[in-house]
Amino acid sequence: MGKMKKIIVLMFLLFPVECFSQTKTFYAEGSKDIKKVSLTFDDGPGKATKKILEILKENNIKATFFMLGVRVQNDPEGAKAVLASGHEIANHTYTHINFYAYKGEGKAIQIEKELLRGEKIIKDVLDVKPILVRFPHGYAKPDAVKIAKNNGYSVINWSFGADWENMSAEEMHAKYRKAIKNGAIFLMHDLLKNDKVLSFLDVFISEIKKEGYEIVTVSELLNLKH
Ligand SMILES: [Zn+2]
């Protein structure tokens, strides 16, 4: 076989392998073809975590908790309660630095440090290596995505979230309800009391189910393996 021919055959052999090995690293929603959605809770464990765990348990569903290293450090029992309830543990970095606004030196180094410090505390307290990270404020620029990928993570944002906005609980509930769709990833927070979300979470879950959706963890929604 001539050298050129060999190269062409090699290219054909390698190309499909290359295709299959390329997995996405950044997601803000799941498949549009499947009636599944995920609920995600950020910044905890915190004041709303316990009540949220009760509501999830009553409804027999699993959610994904993007935990902050500092919070896990301050409230290891709260973090353990989330894990013991069978929910997915994900990394939300150590101290919640907003990398959109970051002006300091060595941004990439700082991003990786935040990711790995969060991971270390989660590992130490829960003995879990998270595979999902959500950077604070949904930072998902190529630098962060690359760092996440190099450390065995997928970066997860959300298709809808509004619990930090200034509106009544009724308006907020209506907005969440309207955002139910195939592959939706809902963002809520459990650091503060979050009375608004707690006032409608149970009903919201019923509404999602009534519309025929299954509520699953983010890694299940996206078919990512732990
Ligand atoms: Zn956050």
Side-chain angles (χ1 to χ4, degrees):
M1 212 189 294
K3 199 179 175 194
M4 199 60 211
K5 225 174 176 178
K6 257 188 194 165
I7 290 169
I8 290 167
V9 169
L10 256 175
M11 273 171 65
F12 272 103
L13 282 172
L14 291 175
F15 185 67
V17 177
E18 183 72 31
C19 271
F20 282 118
S21 67
Q22 267 181 0
T23 44
K24 255 175 81 175
T25 306
F26 171 75
Y27 301 85
E29 58 185 19
S31 167
K32 290 177 170 65
D33 303 325
I34 305 170
K35 288 199 81 139
K36 286 183 182 178
V37 306
S38 290
L39 303 183
T40 68
F41 298 93
D42 282 18
D43 299 356
K47 290 200 171 98
T49 311
K50 203 175 158 207
K51 189 82 192 73
I52 287 167
L53 290 180
E54 284 169 23
I55 295 168
L56 298 176
K57 191 179 178 188
E58 281 161 17
N59 287 281
N60 195 27
I61 57 166
K62 302 296 181 224
T64 300
F65 288 75
F66 287 86
M67 294 185 176
L68 282 177
V70 282
R71 290 300 313 152
V72 176
Q73 220 164 24
N74 290 335
D75 184 9
E77 294 314 312
K80 284 177 191 167
V82 175
L83 180 67
S85 304
H87 301 291
E88 177 166 43
I89 309 295
N91 192 342
H92 194 39
T93 75
Y94 182 57
T95 55
H96 213 272
I97 293 172
N98 180 359
F99 286 110
Y100 283 115
Y102 189 79
K103 295 280 189 286
E105 293 285 302
K107 188 174 175 186
I109 290 167
Q110 193 61 34
I111 291 172
E112 186 160 45
K113 228 167 141 182
E114 276 287 308
L115 175 73
L116 295 181
R117 275 187 90 181
E119 174 179 304
K120 184 175 187 317
I121 291 158
I122 289 171
K123 274 183 178 166
D124 288 350
V125 173
L126 302 176
D127 198 21
V128 167
K129 155 68 174 96
I131 62 164
L132 310 177
V133 59
R134 176 176 287 152
F135 289 101
H137 303 271
Y139 185 83
K141 294 206 171 178
D143 50 357
V145 174
K146 191 175 161 215
I147 290 162
K149 188 176 184 177
N150 289 345
N151 286 285
Y153 283 88
S154 297
V155 178
I156 310 299
N157 273 0
W158 56 94
S159 60
F160 186 79
D163 68 340
W164 59 91
E165 287 175 15
N166 187 19
M167 64 181 94
S168 71
E170 289 73 25
E171 284 175 277
M172 195 181 282
H173 180 193
K175 287 198 172 190
Y176 274 90
R177 194 170 44 217
K178 228 179 134 186
I180 299 172
K181 63 170 187 177
N182 287 3
I185 298 176
F186 291 101
L187 164 59
M188 289 168 262
H189 292 81
D190 61 331
L191 174 61
L192 304 176
K193 273 171 68 198
N194 210 342
D195 289 331
K196 287 178 187 172
V197 162
L198 289 178
S199 76
F200 65 76
L201 182 59
D202 185 56
V203 180
F204 179 51
I205 290 168
S206 307
E207 288 160 347
I208 295 172
K209 286 181 170 176
K210 227 177 275 166
E211 289 190 32
Y213 290 88
E214 194 185 342
I215 302 171
V216 298
T217 62
V218 171
S219 65
E220 197 180 333
L221 182 80
L222 302 174
N223 231 342
L224 300 169
K225 295 273 172 294
H226 267 274

PDB file of all heavy atoms in Angstrom, residues 42-43 92 96 136 189, ligand 1:
ATOM      1  N   ASP A  42     -28.666  25.809  44.490  1.00  0.00           N
ATOM      2  CA  ASP A  42     -27.315  26.366  44.560  1.00  0.00           C
ATOM      3  C   ASP A  42     -27.012  27.032  45.903  1.00  0.00           C
ATOM      4  O   ASP A  42     -27.924  27.504  46.592  1.00  0.00           O
ATOM      5  CB  ASP A  42     -27.141  27.451  43.487  1.00  0.00           C
ATOM      6  CG  ASP A  42     -26.921  26.856  42.104  1.00  0.00           C
ATOM      7  OD1 ASP A  42     -27.237  25.664  41.907  1.00  0.00           O
ATOM      8  OD2 ASP A  42     -26.462  27.594  41.215  1.00  0.00           O
ATOM      9  N   ASP A  43     -25.736  27.123  46.184  1.00  0.00           N
ATOM     10  CA  ASP A  43     -25.149  27.951  47.259  1.00  0.00           C
ATOM     11  C   ASP A  43     -25.245  27.341  48.656  1.00  0.00           C
ATOM     12  O   ASP A  43     -24.825  27.950  49.628  1.00  0.00           O
ATOM     13  CB  ASP A  43     -25.759  29.374  47.326  1.00  0.00           C
ATOM     14  CG  ASP A  43     -25.553  30.163  46.047  1.00  0.00           C
ATOM     15  OD1 ASP A  43     -24.877  29.661  45.143  1.00  0.00           O
ATOM     16  OD2 ASP A  43     -26.078  31.288  45.966  1.00  0.00           O
ATOM     17  N   HIS A  92     -20.018  23.945  43.285  1.00  0.00           N
ATOM     18  CA  HIS A  92     -20.346  25.335  42.919  1.00  0.00           C
ATOM     19  C   HIS A  92     -19.164  26.250  43.272  1.00  0.00           C
ATOM     20  O   HIS A  92     -19.343  27.436  43.478  1.00  0.00           O
ATOM     21  CB  HIS A  92     -21.629  25.756  43.640  1.00  0.00           C
ATOM     22  CG  HIS A  92     -22.273  27.006  43.120  1.00  0.00           C
ATOM     23  ND1 HIS A  92     -22.357  27.333  41.789  1.00  0.00           N
ATOM     24  CD2 HIS A  92     -22.893  28.027  43.768  1.00  0.00           C
ATOM     25  CE1 HIS A  92     -22.985  28.490  41.651  1.00  0.00           C
ATOM     26  NE2 HIS A  92     -23.314  28.938  42.843  1.00  0.00           N
ATOM     27  N   HIS A  96     -17.509  31.258  45.750  1.00  0.00           N
ATOM     28  CA  HIS A  96     -18.491  32.003  44.949  1.00  0.00           C
ATOM     29  C   HIS A  96     -17.933  33.295  44.361  1.00  0.00           C
ATOM     30  O   HIS A  96     -18.600  34.330  44.319  1.00  0.00           O
ATOM     31  CB  HIS A  96     -19.748  32.306  45.771  1.00  0.00           C
ATOM     32  CG  HIS A  96     -21.012  32.324  44.952  1.00  0.00           C
ATOM     33  ND1 HIS A  96     -21.465  33.446  44.314  1.00  0.00           N
ATOM     34  CD2 HIS A  96     -21.895  31.355  44.661  1.00  0.00           C
ATOM     35  CE1 HIS A  96     -22.589  33.155  43.684  1.00  0.00           C
ATOM     36  NE2 HIS A  96     -22.866  31.890  43.867  1.00  0.00           N
ATOM     37  N   PRO A 136     -20.140  30.220  39.717  1.00  0.00           N
ATOM     38  CA  PRO A 136     -21.006  31.296  40.212  1.00  0.00           C
ATOM     39  C   PRO A 136     -21.421  32.250  39.085  1.00  0.00           C
ATOM     40  O   PRO A 136     -20.627  32.543  38.199  1.00  0.00           O
ATOM     41  CB  PRO A 136     -20.133  31.992  41.256  1.00  0.00           C
ATOM     42  CG  PRO A 136     -19.236  30.903  41.757  1.00  0.00           C
ATOM     43  CD  PRO A 136     -18.951  30.048  40.561  1.00  0.00           C
ATOM     44  N   HIS A 189     -32.348  28.346  44.948  1.00  0.00           N
ATOM     45  CA  HIS A 189     -31.268  28.502  45.933  1.00  0.00           C
ATOM     46  C   HIS A 189     -31.692  28.017  47.316  1.00  0.00           C
ATOM     47  O   HIS A 189     -32.836  28.234  47.724  1.00  0.00           O
ATOM     48  CB  HIS A 189     -30.840  29.970  45.992  1.00  0.00           C
ATOM     49  CG  HIS A 189     -30.154  30.433  44.748  1.00  0.00           C
ATOM     50  ND1 HIS A 189     -30.848  30.808  43.617  1.00  0.00           N
ATOM     51  CD2 HIS A 189     -28.840  30.544  44.432  1.00  0.00           C
ATOM     52  CE1 HIS A 189     -29.979  31.154  42.666  1.00  0.00           C
ATOM     53  NE2 HIS A 189     -28.758  30.999  43.134  1.00  0.00           N
TER      54      HIS A 189
HETATM   55 ZN    ZN B   1     -24.440  30.639  43.301  1.00  0.00          ZN
END
